[in-house]
């Protein structure tokens, strides 16, 4: 999908569909008024005839434009209620309507979709994200069954001349983020017989070939053994596919600028190991690498935008399988940090692969470390599928992520990391256990990680509830790439 900004009014650019907004009680927004004039009052007449009222979620297609193109009217609801949430909804309605049409191009009256209190950049981001999301298809594994392809491939964002520069900047940012989101979706949706630790390493090497400012390093199982990364190795022991630690160093800033380091959980399939998961919906545990997928997405977006900061993306990847060689409940392992862990449940593997990666990234003397992981089912119980959980050892970083989530519509909510929770991780035999019992499962998982992050500014993002959708629309969402990118853009 190609996104661009145009300053010619809605009746000028050549495009298959011209989209504008109608407020509740048949009140055309500015773009719709221009369209109406270009179409000799056709819109006014249709509104009068009661064809559309402008209610939120409604839409009307005028197929009668001839060379003037089709007009698509989107209901915006009452003007006084048109806030960010309503604007997002309207953008989704618009996106759904656009992708189901056979037209290949569209021009949008951007200001019609701008809620109070938000600037042009925000609307541009919101529209581009919604359209790209609606147009996403994952088809590499469709054999004979044909999926109807999306025809739409060119979107022009119509804005006032005075807003053009801001809109253009936002448009390239949003397009790069959309590329990153799609990358994360693709990786997440790829089946676990095709997506495994070494294949993720290949993806990272590929990306480094394509981008000058990107360098990839891969540690294989022998390197990990030499290093003493006992936790990553313990998780991968039951699999035929050995674990990998992948580092993608993006150097957009000055040489000595401390990098922001992102660490993604990359469990390419989580059976639970010897503490085997129940069978129902186990296929969805292919998404247990969505933290890693979001790291790939962010790094790709940074490359595309040539963001002037340094960012390191680290992926800690293994397949959690039951096997004669697999780690057992009761095993005690030594992590890269030197701390020992009594493994009481092999299904709490994410925190193990993260522990070693979080120790390893000390070498970057990071400005901040953010880990992203589908870490706990408890996170879904706490927040459902609306928001990710954020925890950490630095209020400023945590609040920065929450704000970035709010701004990008990729929301998160903070949970406490009070020291009292640490007691749940006590082990009689090792420095800590890898589980903390039923209460506050998301928090005790973060407590576990906190023991490996004491030397730097750190936040943990649990994305178990937001990284993919179940049911009819099963698929990866690409979250939290938008939140992370908003955070990085605010740093740059
Ligand atoms: N990958 C899962 C977490 C998960 C579960 C994400 C369901 C999304 C949906 C993780 O490795 C896991 O199994 N966690 C356990 C931890 C428990 C054993 C302490 C969990 O949440 O049940
Ligand atoms: Mn697990
Ligand atoms: Zn897992």
């Amino acid at each position: 999908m190609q996104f661009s900004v145009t300053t010619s009014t809605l009746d000028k650019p050549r495009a298959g569909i011209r989209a504008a907004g109608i407020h509740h009680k048949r009140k055309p927004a500015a773009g719709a008024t221009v369209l109406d004039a270009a179409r000799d009052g056709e819109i006014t007449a249709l509104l009068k005839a009661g064809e559309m009222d402008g209610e939120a979620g409604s839409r009307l297609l005028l197929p009668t434009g001839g060379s003037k193109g089709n007009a698509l009217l989107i209901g915006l609801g009452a003007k006084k209620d048109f806030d960010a949430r309503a604007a997002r909804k309207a953008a989704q309605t618009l996106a759904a309507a656009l992708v189901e049409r056979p037209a290949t191009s569209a021009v949008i009256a951007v200001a019609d979709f701008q809620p109070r209190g938000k600037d042009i950049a925000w609307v541009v981001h919101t529209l581009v994200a919604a359209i790209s999301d609606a147009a996403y298809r994952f088809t590499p594994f469709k054999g004979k069954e044909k999926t109807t392809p999306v025809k739409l491939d060119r979107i022009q964002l119509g804005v006032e001349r005075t807003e053009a520069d801001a809109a253009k900047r936002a448009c390239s940012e949003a397009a790069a983020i959309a590329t990153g989101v799609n990358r994360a979706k693709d990786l997440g949706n790829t089946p676990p017989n095709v997506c495994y630790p070494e294949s993720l390493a290949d993806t990272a090497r590929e990306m480094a070939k394509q981008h000058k400012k990107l360098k990839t390093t891969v540690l294989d199982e022998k390197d990990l053994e030499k290093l003493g990364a006992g936790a990553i190795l313990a998780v991968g022991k039951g699999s035929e596919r050995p674990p990998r630690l992948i580092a993608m160093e993006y150097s957009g800033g000055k040489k000595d600028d401390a990098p922001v380091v992102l660490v993604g959980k990359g469990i390419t399939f989580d059976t639970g190991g010897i503490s085997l998961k129940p069978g129902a919906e186990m296929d969805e545990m292919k998404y247990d690498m969505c933290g890693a997928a979001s790291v790939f997405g962010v790094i790709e977006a940074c490359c595309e935008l040539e963001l002037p900061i340094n960012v390191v993306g680290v992926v800690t990847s293994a397949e959690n399988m039951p096997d004669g060689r697999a780690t057992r409940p009761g095993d005690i392992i030594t992590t890269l940090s030197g701390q020992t862990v009594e493994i009481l449940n092999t299904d709490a593997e994410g925190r193990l692969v993260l522990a070693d990666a979080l120790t390893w990234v000390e070498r970057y003397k990071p400005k901040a470390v953010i880990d992203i992981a589908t870490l706990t089912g408890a996170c879904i119980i706490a927040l459902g599928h609306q928001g990710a959980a954020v925890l950490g050892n630095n209020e400023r970083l945590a609040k920065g992520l929450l704000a970035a989530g709010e701004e990008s519509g990729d929301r998160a909510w903070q949970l406490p990391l009070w020291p009292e929770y640490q007691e749940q991780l006590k082990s009689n035999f090792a420095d800590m256990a890898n589980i903390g019992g039923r209460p506050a499962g998301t928090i005790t998982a973060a407590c576990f990680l906190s023991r490996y992050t004491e030397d730097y500014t750190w936040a943990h993002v649990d994305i178990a509830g937001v990284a993919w959708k179940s049911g009819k629309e099963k698929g990866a969402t690409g979250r939290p790439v938008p939140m992370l990118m908003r955070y990085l853009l605010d740093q740059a």
Side-chain angles (χ1 to χ4, degrees), residues 22-25 27-30 54 76-83 86 111-112 114-116:
I22 307 287
H23 280 289
H24 187 40
K25 300 213 170 129
K27 295 201 182 77
L76 304 171
K79 194 158 189 179
K80 68 168 178 35
D81 298 333
F82 199 63
D83 56 7
D112 288 15
Q114 184 171 351
R116 62 180 128 77

Side-chain angles (χ1 to χ4, degrees), residues 244-259:
R244 296 286 182 263
L245 186 67
I246 305 161
M248 293 172 276
E249 298 167 19
Y250 168 75
S251 311
K254 296 197 204 79
K255 201 167 171 291
D256 298 329
D257 290 351

Side-chain angles (χ1 to χ4, degrees), residues 51-349:
E51 290 292 332
M52 189 191 195
D53 175 77
E55 266 175 50
S58 66
R59 47 157 123 157
L60 180 67
L61 182 82
L62 282 57
T64 51
S67 65
K68 290 188 184 127
N70 297 342
L72 176 63
L73 303 177
I74 300 297
L76 304 171
K79 194 158 189 179
K80 68 168 178 35
D81 298 333
F82 199 63
D83 56 7
R85 178 175 281 113
R88 267 211 174 80
K89 272 250 153 85
Q92 281 163 8
T93 306
L94 166 65
L98 287 177
V99 301
E100 74 190 29
R101 303 298 313 165
T104 57
S105 66
V107 54
I108 299 167
V110 172
D112 288 15
F113 298 88
Q114 184 171 351
R116 62 180 128 77
K118 294 292 184 188
D119 59 11
I120 194 81
W122 185 92
V123 207
V124 168
H125 271 280
T126 301
L127 288 167
V128 170
I131 294 167
S132 173
D133 199 55
Y136 176 82
R137 300 287 181 273
F138 184 71
T139 54
F141 298 90
K142 287 284 188 188
K144 290 198 170 145
E145 187 196 307
K146 288 275 167 285
T147 32
T148 5
V150 173
K151 289 267 173 59
L152 189 71
D153 76 353
R154 211 165 72 90
I155 303 288
Q156 289 173 278
L157 301 160
V159 303
E160 294 289 333
R161 210 164 292 276
T162 50
E163 313 242 61
D165 288 344
K168 278 180 190 159
R169 198 170 325 118
C171 183
S172 12
E173 287 172 8
I177 295 171
T179 304
V181 166
N182 285 349
R183 164 76 72 172
K185 286 182 182 178
D186 283 349
L187 286 169
N189 287 331
T190 302
N193 55 335
V194 178
C195 175
Y196 47 92
E198 175 63 13
S199 84
L200 290 179
D202 276 337
T203 302
R205 292 186 192 106
E206 259 325 289
M207 274 170 52
K209 259 189 225 158
Q210 272 160 31
H211 300 282
K212 274 208 311 282
K213 291 182 177 164
L214 189 62
K215 190 185 136 214
T216 288
T217 313
V218 177
L219 274 61
D220 66 16
E221 68 274 26
K222 290 196 197 86
D223 302 322
L224 292 169
E225 239 155 70
K226 259 184 261 157
L227 193 66
I232 301 179
L233 289 165
V235 174
K237 266 173 70 186
S239 172
E240 293 292 318
R241 269 98 181 243
R244 296 286 182 263
L245 186 67
I246 305 161
M248 293 172 276
E249 298 167 19
Y250 168 75
S251 311
K254 296 197 204 79
K255 201 167 171 291
D256 298 329
D257 290 351
V260 174
V261 177
L262 306 173
V263 179
K265 170 180 173 183
I267 298 298
T268 57
F269 195 69
D270 182 12
T271 65
I274 298 299
S275 313
L276 194 63
K277 285 183 182 294
E281 279 117 49
M282 202 202 270
D283 67 288
E284 294 191 359
M285 280 301 124
K286 72 172 181 178
Y287 293 117
D288 213 16
M289 36 61 71
C290 281
S294 75
V295 170
F296 279 102
V298 167
I299 292 294
E300 182 160 39
C302 288
C303 289
E304 203 154 288
L305 276 176
E306 301 194 33
L307 218 61
I309 55 173
N310 295 331
V311 183
V312 181
V314 171
V315 164
T316 178
S317 185
E319 189 184 44
N320 188 19
M321 297 290 263
D323 177 79
R325 269 186 292 264
T327 295
R328 293 156 287 253
D331 284 2
I332 294 178
I333 60 161
T334 303
T335 61
L336 179 55
S337 71
Q339 300 176 93
T340 59
V341 178
E342 182 185 16
I343 296 183
L344 294 179
N345 189 322
T346 63
D347 197 10
E349 84 298 338

